[in-house]
Amino acid sequence: MCGIFGVVGASQNAAQLVLAGLKKLEYRGYDSWGITVKQNNKLVRERHVGKIGSAQTKLPASNIGLGHTRWATHGGVTVGNAHPHLDCTETLCLVHNGIVENFLELKQKLSGHCFQSETDTEVALHLFEECGLLKGFKQIVGMNAFILLDSAKNQLLTVKNGSPLIIGLGKNKNYISSDVWALLDHTNQIIFLEDNQIAQITGKQVKLFSVKSNKAIKPKVVTLDWKAEQSRLGKFHHYMEKEIFDQPKIITNLASQDFGAIKKLIKPNRKTYFLGCGTAYYAALFAEYYFRLNGFEAEAIMASEYQKILKLVKPDQLLIVLSQSGETIDIINSVKELTKKKIPIVALTNVLGSSLYRLADYKILLGAGQEVAVASTKAFTAKLAIILNLLGLDSGLIKAAAALSLDRKKIRTLSQTIKDCDHIFVIGRGISYPIALEAALKIKEVSYIHAEAYAAGELKHGPIALIDKGTPAIVLAPNDETLTDMISSAYEIKARGGLIIGISPQDNPVFDIHLQVPDLKQATAIPMTVIAQLLAYDLAIARGLNPDKPRNLAKSVTVK
Ligand code: BG6
Protein backbone atom coordinates (compact mmCIF):
# COMPACT_ATOMS: atom_id res chain seq x y z
CA MET A 1 0.00 0.00 0.00
CA CYS A 2 2.27 2.63 -1.33
CA GLY A 3 1.46 6.24 -2.18
CA ILE A 4 1.74 7.36 -5.82
CA PHE A 5 1.45 10.90 -7.16
CA GLY A 6 1.86 12.65 -10.52
CA VAL A 7 1.45 16.12 -12.07
CA VAL A 8 1.48 17.42 -15.64
CA GLY A 9 1.25 21.01 -16.83
CA ALA A 10 3.15 22.33 -13.81
CA SER A 11 4.90 25.66 -14.23
CA GLN A 12 8.42 24.24 -13.97
CA ASN A 13 7.88 23.11 -10.34
CA ALA A 14 6.74 19.53 -10.96
CA ALA A 15 9.38 18.05 -8.60
CA GLN A 16 8.31 20.27 -5.69
CA LEU A 17 4.61 19.52 -6.29
CA VAL A 18 5.28 15.77 -6.40
CA LEU A 19 7.38 15.93 -3.21
CA ALA A 20 4.58 17.80 -1.40
CA GLY A 21 2.11 15.17 -2.62
CA LEU A 22 4.31 12.32 -1.38
CA LYS A 23 4.62 13.95 2.05
CA LYS A 24 0.80 13.87 2.30
CA LEU A 25 0.77 10.20 1.23
CA GLU A 26 3.63 9.02 3.44
CA TYR A 27 1.25 7.38 5.95
CA ARG A 28 0.61 4.80 3.23
CA GLY A 29 4.21 3.50 3.43
CA TYR A 30 7.57 4.96 4.38
CA ASP A 31 10.29 2.41 3.50
CA SER A 32 11.70 4.52 0.61
CA TRP A 33 10.69 7.30 -1.79
CA GLY A 34 11.55 8.64 -5.21
CA ILE A 35 10.65 11.23 -7.87
CA THR A 36 11.25 11.52 -11.63
CA VAL A 37 10.80 14.58 -13.85
CA LYS A 38 11.44 15.22 -17.53
CA GLN A 39 14.03 17.82 -18.57
CA ASN A 40 15.22 18.44 -22.12
CA ASN A 41 13.62 15.15 -23.28
CA LYS A 42 15.55 13.25 -20.58
CA LEU A 43 14.10 11.59 -17.50
CA VAL A 44 15.91 12.71 -14.33
CA ARG A 45 15.36 10.69 -11.13
CA GLU A 46 16.17 10.71 -7.42
CA ARG A 47 15.48 7.81 -4.99
CA HIS A 48 16.10 7.42 -1.26
CA VAL A 49 15.70 4.74 1.44
CA GLY A 50 13.77 5.82 4.57
CA LYS A 51 11.21 8.48 5.42
CA ILE A 52 10.85 11.76 3.46
CA GLY A 53 10.76 13.86 6.66
CA SER A 54 11.82 17.43 5.75
CA ALA A 55 13.79 16.46 2.65
CA GLN A 56 13.94 18.93 -0.29
CA THR A 57 14.28 17.83 -3.93
CA LYS A 58 17.32 18.68 -6.04
CA LEU A 59 15.65 17.77 -9.34
CA PRO A 60 15.64 20.33 -12.18
CA ALA A 61 12.71 22.50 -13.26
CA SER A 62 10.06 20.59 -15.21
CA ASN A 63 6.36 20.65 -16.08
CA ILE A 64 5.80 16.91 -15.65
CA GLY A 65 6.73 14.44 -12.93
CA LEU A 66 5.69 11.53 -10.76
CA GLY A 67 6.70 10.00 -7.44
CA HIS A 68 6.25 7.15 -5.00
CA THR A 69 6.46 6.45 -1.26
CA ARG A 70 6.94 2.73 -0.61
CA TRP A 71 5.63 -0.03 1.65
CA ALA A 72 7.83 -2.89 0.49
CA THR A 73 6.18 -6.05 -0.84
CA HIS A 74 8.60 -7.46 -3.44
CA GLY A 75 12.35 -6.89 -2.96
CA GLY A 76 14.19 -5.50 0.08
CA VAL A 77 14.25 -1.86 1.18
CA THR A 78 17.05 -0.64 -1.12
CA VAL A 79 17.60 2.31 -3.51
CA GLY A 80 17.59 -0.20 -6.39
CA ASN A 81 14.09 -1.38 -5.48
CA ALA A 82 12.78 2.12 -4.77
CA HIS A 83 10.40 3.59 -7.34
CA PRO A 84 10.14 5.22 -9.90
CA HIS A 85 11.52 2.61 -12.31
CA LEU A 86 12.83 3.36 -15.86
CA ASP A 87 12.49 1.15 -18.94
CA CYS A 88 15.36 0.04 -21.20
CA THR A 89 15.04 3.16 -23.39
CA GLU A 90 14.79 5.44 -20.31
CA THR A 91 11.81 7.20 -21.97
CA LEU A 92 9.12 5.49 -19.87
CA CYS A 93 8.92 5.77 -16.08
CA LEU A 94 6.53 3.93 -13.74
CA VAL A 95 5.20 4.12 -10.17
CA HIS A 96 2.87 1.48 -8.72
CA ASN A 97 0.63 0.65 -5.77
CA GLY A 98 -0.41 -3.00 -5.52
CA ILE A 99 0.95 -6.45 -6.30
CA VAL A 100 1.51 -7.96 -9.80
CA GLU A 101 0.72 -11.54 -8.72
CA ASN A 102 1.96 -13.12 -12.02
CA PHE A 103 5.18 -11.08 -12.28
CA LEU A 104 7.52 -14.12 -12.46
CA GLU A 105 5.56 -15.63 -15.34
CA LEU A 106 5.51 -12.28 -17.20
CA LYS A 107 9.25 -11.79 -16.59
CA GLN A 108 10.01 -15.02 -18.47
CA LYS A 109 8.34 -13.52 -21.57
CA LEU A 110 10.56 -10.41 -21.35
CA SER A 111 13.94 -12.07 -21.77
CA GLY A 112 15.40 -9.28 -23.99
CA HIS A 113 14.84 -6.64 -21.32
CA CYS A 114 17.43 -5.53 -18.75
CA PHE A 115 16.11 -5.67 -15.16
CA GLN A 116 17.67 -3.40 -12.49
CA SER A 117 15.56 -4.42 -9.45
CA GLU A 118 13.78 -7.33 -7.69
CA THR A 119 10.38 -5.62 -7.93
CA ASP A 120 7.17 -6.81 -9.57
CA THR A 121 6.69 -3.19 -10.64
CA GLU A 122 9.71 -3.15 -12.97
CA VAL A 123 8.40 -6.30 -14.69
CA ALA A 124 5.13 -4.45 -15.40
CA LEU A 125 7.10 -1.50 -16.82
CA HIS A 126 9.07 -3.64 -19.28
CA LEU A 127 5.77 -5.29 -20.27
CA PHE A 128 4.29 -1.84 -21.01
CA GLU A 129 7.48 -0.98 -22.94
CA GLU A 130 7.01 -4.22 -24.91
CA CYS A 131 3.31 -3.94 -25.81
CA GLY A 132 1.90 -0.65 -24.52
CA LEU A 133 -0.01 0.14 -21.30
CA LEU A 134 -3.45 -1.08 -22.48
CA LYS A 135 -2.31 -4.47 -23.86
CA GLY A 136 0.14 -4.95 -20.98
CA PHE A 137 -2.37 -4.13 -18.24
CA LYS A 138 -4.75 -6.80 -19.60
CA GLN A 139 -2.07 -9.46 -18.92
CA ILE A 140 -1.54 -8.38 -15.30
CA VAL A 141 -3.16 -10.33 -12.43
CA GLY A 142 -3.84 -8.66 -9.06
CA MET A 143 -5.03 -5.42 -7.49
CA ASN A 144 -2.95 -2.59 -8.92
CA ALA A 145 -2.77 1.11 -9.73
CA PHE A 146 -0.11 2.50 -12.09
CA ILE A 147 1.06 5.94 -13.24
CA LEU A 148 3.24 5.89 -16.38
CA LEU A 149 5.20 8.94 -17.56
CA ASP A 150 5.66 8.83 -21.33
CA SER A 151 8.36 11.43 -21.96
CA ALA A 152 8.11 11.21 -25.75
CA LYS A 153 4.43 12.26 -25.65
CA ASN A 154 4.91 14.51 -22.54
CA GLN A 155 1.87 12.90 -20.90
CA LEU A 156 0.90 10.80 -17.91
CA LEU A 157 -1.10 7.60 -18.33
CA THR A 158 -2.85 5.94 -15.41
CA VAL A 159 -4.85 2.74 -14.96
CA LYS A 160 -6.19 0.74 -12.02
CA ASN A 161 -7.94 -2.37 -10.82
CA GLY A 162 -8.73 -2.52 -7.08
CA SER A 163 -6.15 -0.08 -5.70
CA PRO A 164 -7.40 3.52 -5.31
CA LEU A 165 -6.58 6.28 -7.86
CA ILE A 166 -7.94 9.81 -8.01
CA ILE A 167 -7.42 12.51 -10.65
CA GLY A 168 -7.38 16.16 -9.52
CA LEU A 169 -8.36 18.84 -12.05
CA GLY A 170 -6.29 22.05 -11.76
CA LYS A 171 -5.92 25.21 -13.90
CA ASN A 172 -3.82 24.10 -16.95
CA LYS A 173 -2.37 21.34 -14.82
CA ASN A 174 -3.73 18.01 -13.63
CA TYR A 175 -2.80 15.70 -10.79
CA ILE A 176 -3.03 11.97 -10.01
CA SER A 177 -2.94 10.62 -6.45
CA SER A 178 -3.58 7.50 -4.35
CA ASP A 179 -5.97 9.49 -2.20
CA VAL A 180 -7.86 12.74 -2.05
CA TRP A 181 -5.96 14.38 0.81
CA ALA A 182 -2.82 14.92 -1.27
CA LEU A 183 -4.88 16.85 -3.84
CA LEU A 184 -6.77 19.25 -1.58
CA ASP A 185 -4.00 21.88 -1.51
CA HIS A 186 -4.50 22.20 -5.28
CA THR A 187 -8.12 21.42 -6.14
CA ASN A 188 -11.43 19.99 -4.91
CA GLN A 189 -12.51 19.00 -8.44
CA ILE A 190 -11.77 15.30 -8.65
CA ILE A 191 -12.45 12.14 -10.64
CA PHE A 192 -12.52 8.77 -8.80
CA LEU A 193 -11.05 6.36 -11.38
CA GLU A 194 -13.11 3.15 -11.56
CA ASP A 195 -11.60 -0.34 -11.98
CA ASN A 196 -10.39 -1.06 -15.54
CA GLN A 197 -10.47 2.57 -16.60
CA ILE A 198 -7.39 4.09 -18.24
CA ALA A 199 -6.70 7.84 -18.36
CA GLN A 200 -4.51 9.89 -20.69
CA ILE A 201 -3.56 13.14 -18.95
CA THR A 202 -1.89 16.34 -20.14
CA GLY A 203 -1.94 19.79 -18.52
CA LYS A 204 -4.90 20.75 -20.66
CA GLN A 205 -6.92 17.52 -20.86
CA VAL A 206 -8.03 14.31 -19.17
CA LYS A 207 -9.32 11.55 -21.47
CA LEU A 208 -10.84 8.36 -19.99
CA PHE A 209 -11.13 5.01 -21.79
CA SER A 210 -12.42 1.56 -20.85
CA VAL A 211 -9.65 -1.08 -20.69
CA LYS A 212 -12.12 -3.73 -21.92
CA SER A 213 -13.67 -1.91 -24.93
CA ASN A 214 -11.08 0.87 -25.36
CA LYS A 215 -14.14 3.13 -25.78
CA ALA A 216 -14.04 6.75 -24.49
CA ILE A 217 -15.80 7.38 -21.14
CA LYS A 218 -17.24 10.70 -19.94
CA PRO A 219 -15.42 11.50 -16.67
CA LYS A 220 -17.64 11.96 -13.55
CA VAL A 221 -16.23 15.06 -11.77
CA VAL A 222 -17.02 15.34 -8.03
CA THR A 223 -16.65 18.59 -6.04
CA LEU A 224 -15.44 17.96 -2.48
CA ASP A 225 -16.20 20.36 0.38
CA TRP A 226 -13.11 19.28 2.32
CA LYS A 227 -10.41 21.75 3.22
CA ALA A 228 -6.69 20.92 3.33
CA GLU A 229 -6.28 23.03 6.49
CA GLN A 230 -8.59 20.55 8.34
CA SER A 231 -5.62 18.23 8.48
CA ARG A 232 -3.03 20.74 9.63
CA LEU A 233 -1.21 19.77 12.86
CA GLY A 234 -1.80 23.17 14.52
CA LYS A 235 -0.62 23.30 18.18
CA PHE A 236 -0.22 19.56 18.46
CA HIS A 237 3.09 17.63 18.32
CA HIS A 238 1.78 14.67 16.37
CA TYR A 239 -1.28 13.78 14.29
CA MET A 240 -2.19 11.01 16.76
CA GLU A 241 -2.43 13.61 19.56
CA LYS A 242 -4.37 16.07 17.34
CA GLU A 243 -6.80 13.34 16.26
CA ILE A 244 -7.39 12.24 19.87
CA PHE A 245 -8.43 15.81 20.66
CA ASP A 246 -10.54 16.09 17.47
CA GLN A 247 -12.93 13.51 18.99
CA PRO A 248 -15.25 15.70 21.15
CA LYS A 249 -16.55 17.69 18.14
CA ILE A 250 -16.96 14.57 15.97
CA ILE A 251 -18.79 12.54 18.63
CA THR A 252 -21.08 15.47 19.53
CA ASN A 253 -22.05 15.80 15.85
CA LEU A 254 -22.76 12.09 15.48
CA ALA A 255 -24.71 11.85 18.77
CA SER A 256 -27.71 13.69 17.38
CA GLN A 257 -27.50 12.74 13.69
CA ASP A 258 -30.61 11.02 12.36
CA PHE A 259 -29.74 7.71 10.68
CA GLY A 260 -33.46 7.06 10.08
CA ALA A 261 -33.05 5.25 6.74
CA ILE A 262 -30.47 2.83 8.22
CA LYS A 263 -32.37 2.37 11.51
CA LYS A 264 -35.38 1.13 9.49
CA LEU A 265 -33.20 -1.72 8.12
CA ILE A 266 -32.32 -2.96 11.61
CA LYS A 267 -34.78 -5.38 13.26
CA PRO A 268 -34.26 -7.63 16.32
CA ASN A 269 -34.71 -10.92 14.41
CA ARG A 270 -32.99 -9.74 11.22
CA LYS A 271 -29.37 -10.92 11.52
CA THR A 272 -26.82 -8.15 11.10
CA TYR A 273 -23.21 -8.95 10.18
CA PHE A 274 -20.53 -6.40 11.05
CA LEU A 275 -17.33 -6.57 8.96
CA GLY A 276 -13.97 -4.87 9.59
CA CYS A 277 -10.18 -5.13 9.81
CA GLY A 278 -7.81 -4.08 12.59
CA THR A 279 -9.32 -1.30 14.67
CA ALA A 280 -12.45 -1.37 12.54
CA TYR A 281 -12.93 -5.07 13.40
CA TYR A 282 -12.88 -4.19 17.12
CA ALA A 283 -15.59 -1.59 16.46
CA ALA A 284 -17.51 -4.36 14.66
CA LEU A 285 -17.10 -6.63 17.71
CA PHE A 286 -18.34 -3.81 19.96
CA ALA A 287 -21.39 -3.56 17.69
CA GLU A 288 -21.99 -7.31 17.95
CA TYR A 289 -21.98 -7.15 21.77
CA TYR A 290 -24.11 -4.00 21.87
CA PHE A 291 -26.71 -5.38 19.45
CA ARG A 292 -26.88 -8.77 21.19
CA LEU A 293 -27.09 -7.20 24.66
CA ASN A 294 -30.10 -5.29 23.32
CA GLY A 295 -31.73 -8.42 21.86
CA PHE A 296 -30.70 -7.97 18.20
CA GLU A 297 -29.16 -10.85 16.26
CA ALA A 298 -25.65 -9.84 15.25
CA GLU A 299 -22.19 -11.22 14.43
CA ALA A 300 -18.82 -9.55 13.90
CA ILE A 301 -16.58 -10.93 11.14
CA MET A 302 -12.91 -10.20 10.37
CA ALA A 303 -13.01 -9.24 6.70
CA SER A 304 -10.02 -11.49 5.93
CA GLU A 305 -12.10 -14.41 7.30
CA TYR A 306 -15.35 -13.62 5.42
CA GLN A 307 -15.41 -17.06 3.82
CA LYS A 308 -16.84 -18.49 7.02
CA ILE A 309 -20.19 -16.75 6.38
CA LEU A 310 -20.21 -16.98 2.58
CA LYS A 311 -22.60 -19.97 2.60
CA LEU A 312 -24.78 -18.42 5.35
CA VAL A 313 -25.49 -14.85 4.20
CA LYS A 314 -28.99 -14.24 2.82
CA PRO A 315 -30.73 -11.27 1.12
CA ASP A 316 -33.06 -10.84 4.15
CA GLN A 317 -30.05 -10.21 6.43
CA LEU A 318 -27.95 -7.02 6.70
CA LEU A 319 -24.22 -6.38 6.28
CA ILE A 320 -22.68 -3.32 7.96
CA VAL A 321 -19.09 -2.75 6.80
CA LEU A 322 -16.73 -0.59 8.86
CA SER A 323 -13.62 0.92 7.25
CA GLN A 324 -11.99 4.31 7.90
CA SER A 325 -10.28 4.45 4.49
CA GLY A 326 -12.88 2.48 2.55
CA GLU A 327 -9.95 0.99 0.59
CA THR A 328 -8.62 -1.87 2.74
CA ILE A 329 -8.18 -4.74 0.29
CA ASP A 330 -9.65 -7.44 2.58
CA ILE A 331 -12.73 -5.24 2.93
CA ILE A 332 -13.10 -4.60 -0.81
CA ASN A 333 -12.54 -8.27 -1.70
CA SER A 334 -15.04 -9.55 0.86
CA VAL A 335 -17.69 -6.96 -0.03
CA LYS A 336 -17.36 -7.79 -3.75
CA GLU A 337 -18.00 -11.49 -2.92
CA LEU A 338 -20.75 -10.92 -0.34
CA THR A 339 -22.60 -8.45 -2.56
CA LYS A 340 -23.16 -11.36 -5.00
CA LYS A 341 -25.42 -12.85 -2.30
CA LYS A 342 -27.74 -9.82 -2.65
CA ILE A 343 -27.37 -8.96 1.08
CA PRO A 344 -27.96 -5.19 1.56
CA ILE A 345 -24.69 -3.44 2.41
CA VAL A 346 -24.29 -0.42 4.69
CA ALA A 347 -20.88 1.33 4.66
CA LEU A 348 -19.55 3.16 7.72
CA THR A 349 -16.56 4.96 6.22
CA ASN A 350 -14.62 8.20 6.53
CA VAL A 351 -13.90 8.70 2.82
CA LEU A 352 -16.57 9.91 0.39
CA GLY A 353 -16.04 8.26 -2.99
CA SER A 354 -13.82 5.48 -1.62
CA SER A 355 -14.21 2.01 -3.16
CA LEU A 356 -16.36 0.81 -0.23
CA TYR A 357 -18.47 3.99 -0.38
CA ARG A 358 -19.15 3.33 -4.08
CA LEU A 359 -19.83 -0.41 -3.57
CA ALA A 360 -22.36 0.01 -0.73
CA ASP A 361 -26.17 0.32 -0.99
CA TYR A 362 -26.38 2.63 2.03
CA LYS A 363 -23.64 4.97 3.25
CA ILE A 364 -22.82 6.61 6.59
CA LEU A 365 -19.85 9.00 6.61
CA LEU A 366 -17.96 9.17 9.91
CA GLY A 367 -17.38 12.92 9.42
CA ALA A 368 -14.07 12.58 11.30
CA GLY A 369 -11.98 14.57 8.79
CA GLN A 370 -8.68 13.18 7.52
CA GLU A 371 -7.08 10.62 9.86
CA VAL A 372 -3.34 10.89 9.17
CA ALA A 373 -1.82 8.96 12.07
CA VAL A 374 -1.45 5.28 11.15
CA ALA A 375 -2.99 4.15 14.44
CA SER A 376 -6.71 4.86 14.14
CA THR A 377 -8.29 6.88 17.00
CA LYS A 378 -11.09 9.32 16.07
CA ALA A 379 -12.45 6.99 13.35
CA PHE A 380 -12.89 4.27 16.02
CA THR A 381 -14.85 6.38 18.52
CA ALA A 382 -16.88 7.86 15.64
CA LYS A 383 -17.94 4.30 14.75
CA LEU A 384 -18.85 3.62 18.42
CA ALA A 385 -20.97 6.80 18.53
CA ILE A 386 -22.82 5.77 15.33
CA ILE A 387 -23.41 2.21 16.58
CA LEU A 388 -24.78 3.52 19.91
CA ASN A 389 -26.98 5.98 18.00
CA LEU A 390 -28.32 3.26 15.64
CA LEU A 391 -30.07 1.46 18.52
CA GLY A 392 -31.23 4.74 19.99
CA LEU A 393 -28.99 5.14 23.04
CA ASP A 394 -29.85 8.49 24.68
CA SER A 395 -27.88 11.07 22.64
CA GLY A 396 -27.22 12.95 25.90
CA LEU A 397 -25.05 10.07 27.08
CA ILE A 398 -23.09 10.03 23.80
CA LYS A 399 -22.62 13.80 23.96
CA ALA A 400 -21.42 13.47 27.56
CA ALA A 401 -18.93 10.86 26.41
CA ALA A 402 -17.47 13.51 24.09
CA ALA A 403 -16.55 15.70 27.06
CA LEU A 404 -13.17 13.99 27.48
CA SER A 405 -12.72 15.13 31.14
CA LEU A 406 -9.54 13.11 31.59
CA ASP A 407 -6.54 13.48 33.97
CA ARG A 408 -3.82 13.93 31.30
CA LYS A 409 -1.07 14.45 33.92
CA LYS A 410 -1.91 11.14 35.62
CA ILE A 411 -1.85 9.28 32.31
CA ARG A 412 1.53 10.77 31.42
CA THR A 413 2.92 9.81 34.87
CA LEU A 414 1.63 6.27 34.39
CA SER A 415 3.35 6.03 31.01
CA GLN A 416 6.65 6.93 32.69
CA THR A 417 6.01 4.22 35.32
CA ILE A 418 5.38 1.37 32.88
CA LYS A 419 7.37 2.45 29.80
CA ASP A 420 10.09 -0.19 30.25
CA CYS A 421 7.71 -3.13 30.69
CA ASP A 422 7.85 -5.92 28.09
CA HIS A 423 4.27 -7.01 28.61
CA ILE A 424 1.01 -5.24 29.48
CA PHE A 425 -2.34 -6.99 30.01
CA VAL A 426 -5.69 -5.38 29.28
CA ILE A 427 -8.87 -7.11 30.52
CA GLY A 428 -12.55 -6.49 30.03
CA ARG A 429 -15.83 -8.37 30.09
CA GLY A 430 -18.92 -8.18 27.90
CA ILE A 431 -19.10 -4.97 25.90
CA SER A 432 -15.74 -3.84 27.36
CA TYR A 433 -13.89 -6.83 25.88
CA PRO A 434 -13.70 -5.29 22.36
CA ILE A 435 -12.50 -2.06 24.03
CA ALA A 436 -9.77 -4.04 25.80
CA LEU A 437 -8.72 -5.47 22.40
CA GLU A 438 -8.57 -1.97 20.89
CA ALA A 439 -6.62 -0.61 23.89
CA ALA A 440 -4.02 -3.38 23.56
CA LEU A 441 -3.77 -2.78 19.79
CA LYS A 442 -3.09 0.94 20.27
CA ILE A 443 -0.31 0.19 22.79
CA LYS A 444 1.22 -2.43 20.44
CA GLU A 445 0.94 -0.25 17.31
CA VAL A 446 2.73 2.84 18.63
CA SER A 447 4.87 1.78 21.64
CA TYR A 448 5.89 -1.72 20.45
CA ILE A 449 5.18 -3.05 23.99
CA HIS A 450 3.58 -6.52 23.78
CA ALA A 451 0.13 -5.66 25.14
CA GLU A 452 -2.41 -8.49 25.19
CA ALA A 453 -6.15 -8.24 25.78
CA TYR A 454 -8.24 -10.97 27.36
CA ALA A 455 -11.85 -11.55 28.18
CA ALA A 456 -11.34 -11.32 31.93
CA GLY A 457 -13.09 -14.62 32.57
CA GLU A 458 -10.59 -16.44 30.37
CA LEU A 459 -7.50 -15.23 32.23
CA LYS A 460 -7.56 -17.95 34.88
CA HIS A 461 -7.77 -20.62 32.15
CA GLY A 462 -4.14 -20.07 31.14
CA PRO A 463 -2.85 -16.54 30.41
CA ILE A 464 -2.63 -15.69 34.13
CA ALA A 465 0.53 -17.84 34.09
CA LEU A 466 2.24 -14.86 32.42
CA ILE A 467 1.53 -12.50 35.32
CA ASP A 468 4.71 -11.73 37.24
CA LYS A 469 5.72 -9.19 39.94
CA GLY A 470 4.90 -5.69 38.59
CA THR A 471 3.20 -6.85 35.39
CA PRO A 472 0.86 -3.96 34.49
CA ALA A 473 -2.78 -5.02 34.06
CA ILE A 474 -5.30 -2.45 32.76
CA VAL A 475 -8.73 -3.35 34.13
CA LEU A 476 -11.79 -1.93 32.32
CA ALA A 477 -14.46 -1.71 35.03
CA PRO A 478 -17.53 0.28 33.95
CA ASN A 479 -20.62 0.43 36.17
CA ASP A 480 -22.49 -2.45 34.52
CA GLU A 481 -23.31 -6.08 35.09
CA THR A 482 -19.60 -7.00 34.75
CA LEU A 483 -18.25 -4.77 37.56
CA THR A 484 -18.17 -7.29 40.42
CA ASP A 485 -16.52 -9.98 38.30
CA MET A 486 -14.00 -7.48 36.95
CA ILE A 487 -12.95 -6.56 40.48
CA SER A 488 -12.56 -10.29 41.31
CA SER A 489 -10.36 -10.77 38.23
CA ALA A 490 -8.28 -7.77 39.36
CA TYR A 491 -7.73 -9.37 42.78
CA GLU A 492 -6.64 -12.65 41.11
CA ILE A 493 -3.98 -10.73 39.12
CA LYS A 494 -2.93 -8.69 42.16
CA ALA A 495 -2.44 -11.90 44.14
CA ARG A 496 0.29 -12.81 41.64
CA GLY A 497 2.03 -9.45 41.95
CA GLY A 498 0.35 -7.64 39.04
CA LEU A 499 0.14 -3.79 39.02
CA ILE A 500 -3.58 -2.99 38.76
CA ILE A 501 -4.53 0.05 36.66
CA GLY A 502 -8.28 0.52 37.05
CA ILE A 503 -10.24 2.48 34.41
CA SER A 504 -13.60 2.94 36.11
CA PRO A 505 -16.18 5.57 37.21
CA GLN A 506 -15.22 4.93 40.85
CA ASP A 507 -12.03 3.99 42.66
CA ASN A 508 -11.58 0.59 44.33
CA PRO A 509 -9.07 -0.70 46.90
CA VAL A 510 -7.74 -3.25 44.40
CA PHE A 511 -6.59 -0.49 42.03
CA ASP A 512 -2.95 0.59 42.43
CA ILE A 513 -3.71 3.40 39.96
CA HIS A 514 -7.24 4.67 39.22
CA LEU A 515 -8.07 6.53 36.01
CA GLN A 516 -11.59 7.93 36.33
CA VAL A 517 -14.19 7.91 33.57
CA PRO A 518 -17.77 9.24 33.67
CA ASP A 519 -20.55 6.64 34.19
CA LEU A 520 -22.45 6.77 30.86
CA LYS A 521 -23.93 3.29 30.44
CA GLN A 522 -22.65 1.72 27.17
CA ALA A 523 -21.21 5.10 26.14
CA THR A 524 -18.59 4.68 28.90
CA ALA A 525 -16.72 2.70 26.23
CA ILE A 526 -15.77 6.02 24.55
CA PRO A 527 -13.87 7.71 27.44
CA MET A 528 -12.32 4.33 28.38
CA THR A 529 -10.99 4.11 24.80
CA VAL A 530 -9.68 7.67 24.84
CA ILE A 531 -7.71 7.00 28.04
CA ALA A 532 -6.10 3.98 26.35
CA GLN A 533 -5.34 6.07 23.23
CA LEU A 534 -3.64 8.75 25.33
CA LEU A 535 -1.70 6.16 27.35
CA ALA A 536 -0.48 4.52 24.13
CA TYR A 537 0.52 7.95 22.77
CA ASP A 538 2.40 8.88 25.98
CA LEU A 539 4.12 5.47 26.04
CA ALA A 540 5.37 6.02 22.49
CA ILE A 541 6.68 9.47 23.44
CA ALA A 542 8.24 8.11 26.65
CA ARG A 543 10.04 5.47 24.55
CA GLY A 544 11.26 8.09 22.06
CA LEU A 545 9.15 6.77 19.18
CA ASN A 546 7.19 8.61 16.44
CA PRO A 547 3.53 7.67 17.17
CA ASP A 548 2.40 8.81 13.69
CA LYS A 549 4.54 6.45 11.63
CA PRO A 550 5.01 3.19 13.53
CA ARG A 551 7.40 0.65 11.98
CA ASN A 552 6.10 -1.93 9.53
CA LEU A 553 2.59 -0.39 9.42
CA ALA A 554 0.66 1.74 6.95
CA LYS A 555 -2.63 3.60 7.14
CA SER A 556 -4.58 1.73 4.52
CA VAL A 557 -3.68 -1.83 3.51
CA THR A 558 -4.40 -2.10 -0.22
CA VAL A 559 -2.38 -5.28 -0.84
CA LYS A 560 -3.32 -8.83 0.24
C1 BG6 B 1 -4.52 -0.79 9.16
C2 BG6 B 1 -4.43 0.52 9.93
O1 BG6 B 1 -3.64 -0.72 8.12
O2 BG6 B 1 -5.85 -0.97 8.66
C3 BG6 B 1 -5.39 0.40 11.10
O3 BG6 B 1 -3.10 0.70 10.40
C4 BG6 B 1 -6.81 0.14 10.58
O4 BG6 B 1 -5.36 1.60 11.83
C5 BG6 B 1 -6.87 -1.05 9.64
O5 BG6 B 1 -7.65 -0.09 11.66
C6 BG6 B 1 -8.21 -1.05 8.90
O6 BG6 B 1 -8.28 0.11 8.10
P1 BG6 B 1 -9.66 0.70 7.60
O7 BG6 B 1 -9.25 1.89 6.78
O8 BG6 B 1 -10.30 -0.37 6.76
O9 BG6 B 1 -10.49 1.06 8.79
Side-chain angles (χ1 to χ4, degrees), residues 298-312:
E299 185 180 355
I301 307 290
M302 287 174 192
S304 52
E305 297 292 329
Y306 76 91
Q307 282 90 348
K308 77 173 188 181
I309 59 168
L310 206 50
K311 292 204 169 34
L312 303 172

Side-chain angles (χ1 to χ4, degrees), residues 250-257 259 385 389 393-396 398-399:
I250 298 161
I251 294 163
T252 306
N253 288 348
L254 292 167
S256 42
Q257 262 190 47
F259 301 116
N389 180 322
L393 185 78
D394 166 357
S395 63
I398 305 174
K399 281 192 182 129

Side-chain angles (χ1 to χ4, degrees), residues 237-278:
H237 306 93
H238 299 94
Y239 279 103
M240 184 177 181
E241 186 189 25
K242 171 194 176 290
E243 288 156 10
I244 289 173
F245 287 94
D246 280 350
Q247 296 179 108
K249 200 156 133 282
I250 298 161
I251 294 163
T252 306
N253 288 348
L254 292 167
S256 42
Q257 262 190 47
D258 172 15
F259 301 116
I262 313 293
K263 284 183 179 171
K264 287 203 190 76
L265 302 169
I266 298 168
K267 301 188 177 57
N269 51 15
R270 178 184 194 174
K271 178 149 189 182
T272 302
Y273 290 105
F274 292 94
L275 203 69
C277 300

Side-chain angles (χ1 to χ4, degrees), residues 73-145:
T73 58
H74 292 70
V77 176
T78 63
V79 168
N81 289 331
H83 302 205
H85 291 283
L86 299 179
D87 74 327
C88 300
T89 65
E90 300 206 348
T91 59
L92 294 177
C93 179
L94 190 72
V95 291
H96 168 219
N97 170 27
I99 291 182
V100 178
E101 291 169 13
N102 59 337
F103 81 107
L104 286 178
E105 192 193 315
L106 293 171
K107 192 169 183 175
Q108 270 137 24
K109 289 193 229 165
L110 298 161
S111 50
H113 291 258
C114 165
F115 291 89
Q116 315 276 346
S117 77
E118 304 156 88
T119 65
D120 53 334
T121 308
E122 196 194 358
V123 174
L125 174 58
H126 289 288
L127 179 66
F128 301 155
E129 176 191 354
E130 184 81 11
C131 60
L133 182 64
L134 185 62
K135 265 219 193 110
F137 186 71
K138 287 180 179 172
Q139 298 174 46
I140 285 180
V141 177
M143 302 280 188
N144 295 288

Side-chain angles (χ1 to χ4, degrees), residues 306-323:
Y306 76 91
Q307 282 90 348
K308 77 173 188 181
I309 59 168
L310 206 50
K311 292 204 169 34
L312 303 172
V313 289
K314 298 186 186 65
D316 65 355
Q317 299 170 328
L318 187 63
L319 176 65
I320 300 186
V321 185
L322 299 86
S323 172

Side-chain angles (χ1 to χ4, degrees), residues 277-280 323-326 328 374-376 383 445 554-557:
C277 300
T279 286
S323 172
Q324 187 282 130
S325 63
T328 300
V374 169
S376 183
K383 292 176 191 129
E445 280 178 313
K555 184 68 188 166
S556 168
V557 180

Side-chain angles (χ1 to χ4, degrees), residues 1 27 275-282 321-331 348-351 356 366 371 373-377 379-380 383 438 441-442 445 550 553-558:
M1 46 262 163
Y27 64 92
L275 203 69
C277 300
T279 286
Y281 169 67
Y282 295 143
V321 185
L322 299 86
S323 172
Q324 187 282 130
S325 63
E327 299 293 355
T328 300
I329 203 76
D330 292 325
I331 289 281
L348 258 65
T349 185
N350 200 28
V351 181
L356 172 63
L366 304 183
E371 193 174 64
V374 169
S376 183
T377 52
F380 179 73
K383 292 176 191 129
E438 174 56 12
L441 179 64
K442 286 287 117 10
E445 280 178 313
L553 293 179
K555 184 68 188 166
S556 168
V557 180
T558 54

